[in-house]
Amino acid sequence: VQDISGDDEEQDRVPLDKLRLLGESEELRILLLNPHLRQLLLSLDQAEDKSSLLKKLMQEPLFAEFADCCLGIVEPPEKENLQPQ
């Protein structure tokens, strides 16, 4: 995969090595087996106004769980911010 980002867009991009981690996540794979989530993602991909639809989808618990899972993989919480168990 070729990195097509420009310098000015770099802060909005996830590095390729972090994106590869998404493909290795068993938790994410299990979430993606859900046909409702797959339909939500398909509708987002095909939407003309992605920003507006994304705001609506973030109100869906299943989609929010998916987004949280993805963010946890590409931006894991820092150890010092974790609560002791």
Side-chain angles (χ1 to χ4, degrees):
V1 176
Q2 193 178 71
D3 187 5
I4 58 172
S5 65
D7 289 338
D8 57 334
E9 297 176 350
E10 191 64 33
Q11 68 185 16
D12 295 333
R13 301 286 178 178
V14 177
L16 290 175
D17 60 325
K18 298 253 183 175
L19 287 177
R20 286 187 185 102
L21 294 175
L22 294 172
E24 299 169 5
S25 169
E26 187 63 27
E27 180 183 4
L28 187 56
R29 285 180 198 205
I30 291 169
L31 282 172
L32 289 170
L33 291 174
N34 185 308
H36 180 60
L37 177 59
R38 293 169 68 100
Q39 184 57 48
L40 294 175
L41 293 169
L42 184 60
S43 64
L44 180 60
D45 184 54
Q46 295 174 345
E48 287 188 32
D49 186 3
K50 292 180 185 347
S51 178
S52 177
L53 181 56
L54 185 58
K55 288 178 186 177
K56 290 178 187 174
L57 290 178
M58 286 306 293
Q59 302 304 311
E60 284 266 345
L62 179 60
F63 189 86
E65 182 181 359
F66 166 76
D68 288 343
C69 181
C70 291
L71 286 173
I73 294 167
V74 298
E75 290 186 8
E78 295 182 26
K79 291 183 180 179
E80 65 250 15
N81 293 337
L82 295 177
Q83 296 290 325
Q85 294 181 355

